Amino acid sequence: MSESTPATPQQYVQQKAASSGSSFYYAFLFLPAQKRAAITAFYAFCREVDDVVDEVMDPGVAQTKLAWWQNEVRQAFAGKPSHPVLQALMPHAPAFGIEQRHLMAVIEGCQMDLQQTRYLDFAGLQRYCHLVAGVVGEVSARIFGQTQPQTTDYAHQLGLALQLTNIIRDVGEDAMRGRIYLPISDLQHFGVKASAILAREYSPEFVELMRYQAQRAHQYYDKALALLPPADRRAQKPGLMMASIYRTLLREIEQENFQVLHQRISLTPLRKFWLAWKVQALGAHRI
């Protein structure tokens, strides 16, 4: 075995999670070992299927790969996982209530990315966000430690807020791939042409459109935080760390007047760690 090849499924998912540079990684650091192992494996699974859409140029090949993942999930829940990500995840599935439908939903969201590059209205976008972020939030909440049914509602609203923040941050990058996640009805309302976004052209109308998107995301952060039952607040700290990191990023984008078409605005690793630590130490009073 070469030195660059991880020796075990656990090392594989750890490498996958760490190499992504994602804010999620900082939220996992404070978890006890079993929960950290479970969320790292689940996050690595999400990255694997997401990478199919981002890295495979031929849509037909990407569809075939996603179909392979669907079959792999079915095999895994039948007790025969072959991919290291599912070999790492499946031992944790019973303890944390991770079901086949959860993983299938994430794959379905990635399939939507292959079939659709526009969303007519916010209701359509919500359906996509439910699959790629709401379900991810639901599984994450189960792993972190959920005792109240309402925590699932909190997790779905927070997932939506995080995904809307991603969409705002990535408008320029998505445009380079020919994708626009901002609802077409919103573009029409603010007088912004899709062609202008694809050409990555700024305008006062674009800034107003983005300000509206940011306000919507803030509403979902507020809605999520209001839904989180006090009994689950301590256990759900990793999700609250994500909320703190992503909402800080959203405010940064607002301060930079939505200059997102030509660059990817991000927080430094040190700042992400600091925001995560603050939630760990002080709670979620100022998200």
Side-chain angles (χ1 to χ4, degrees):
M1 183 176 284
S2 71
E3 284 183 25
S4 62
T5 307
T8 67
Q10 289 70 29
Q11 287 170 314
Y12 181 95
V13 296
Q14 179 64 35
Q15 189 180 80
K16 187 81 181 172
S19 66
S20 74
S22 165
S23 306
F24 286 83
Y25 183 66
Y26 298 90
F28 302 164
L29 292 174
F30 299 93
L31 283 168
Q34 189 192 3
K35 290 181 177 181
R36 190 166 68 243
I39 195 68
T40 299
F42 175 62
Y43 177 68
F45 165 79
C46 295
R47 283 252 49 90
E48 288 283 354
V49 293
D50 198 45
D51 285 350
V52 172
V53 177
D54 288 345
E55 294 173 7
V56 179
M57 292 299 109
D58 183 326
V61 174
Q63 283 283 17
T64 302
K65 287 197 168 202
L66 290 180
W68 182 90
W69 275 107
Q70 285 175 318
N71 188 59
E72 171 66 7
V73 167
R74 282 190 285 268
Q75 291 293 316
F77 278 88
K80 299 189 286 284
S82 64
H83 194 283
V85 159
L86 286 166
Q87 288 173 348
L89 178 61
M90 291 314 296
H92 302 289
F96 297 114
I98 303 168
E99 300 171 25
Q100 181 170 317
R101 66 181 175 90
H102 293 131
L103 304 192
M104 289 299 199
V106 175
I107 297 171
E108 189 185 335
C110 291
Q111 287 174 325
M112 280 183 77
D113 264 331
L114 295 179
Q115 296 154 3
Q116 208 170 330
T117 57
R118 303 284 187 280
Y119 291 87
L120 292 178
D121 53 25
F122 185 60
L125 181 62
Q126 270 183 298
R127 166 71 184 150
Y128 169 74
C129 291
H130 164 76
L131 294 169
V132 299
V135 173
V136 173
E138 180 180 331
V139 173
S140 300
R142 291 181 178 207
I143 293 171
F144 298 151
Q146 174 179 349
T147 65
Q148 308 295 311
Q150 192 178 315
T151 299
T152 299
D153 299 330
Y154 143 81
H156 275 274
Q157 300 301 328
L158 180 58
L160 183 53
L162 298 176
Q163 190 64 25
L164 292 175
T165 305
N166 268 341
I167 287 167
I168 291 165
R169 178 195 64 194
D170 295 341
V171 172
E173 279 185 18
D174 291 330
M176 288 171 69
R177 293 190 176 111
R179 299 180 185 282
I180 299 175
Y181 289 98
L182 307 173
I184 296 298
S185 57
D186 290 352
L187 267 67
Q188 291 171 339
H189 179 79
F190 286 95
V192 177
K193 287 189 162 56
S195 58
I197 290 180
L198 293 175
R200 300 196 289 165
E201 295 169 358
Y202 291 100
S203 67
E205 291 80 10
F206 173 77
V207 173
E208 286 305 306
L209 166 69
M210 296 307 291
R211 191 164 284 129
Y212 177 73
Q213 305 301 318
Q215 287 168 354
R216 179 187 276 151
H218 280 303
Q219 286 170 357
Y220 280 98
Y221 282 112
D222 291 338
K223 196 186 279 190
L225 294 169
L227 280 168
L228 179 57
D232 280 354
R233 267 187 174 270
R234 182 184 290 274
Q236 295 300 321
K237 271 186 178 178
L240 296 172
M241 291 174 191
M242 293 301 307
S244 179
I245 290 169
Y246 268 70
R247 203 168 193 180
T248 300
L249 172 64
L250 181 60
R251 291 180 180 125
E252 195 98 340
I253 292 168
E254 288 173 305
Q255 284 171 6
E256 295 207 22
N257 213 30
F258 303 100
Q259 297 292 293
V260 289
L261 289 173
H262 69 291
Q263 64 181 345
R264 181 188 174 107
I265 297 172
S266 60
L267 305 179
T268 64
L270 183 62
R271 193 156 172 211
K272 290 177 186 177
F273 179 80
W274 169 241
L275 289 164
W277 181 86
K278 276 208 301 189
V279 171
Q280 177 66 16
L282 308 174
H285 302 301
R286 292 196 172 182
I287 291 175

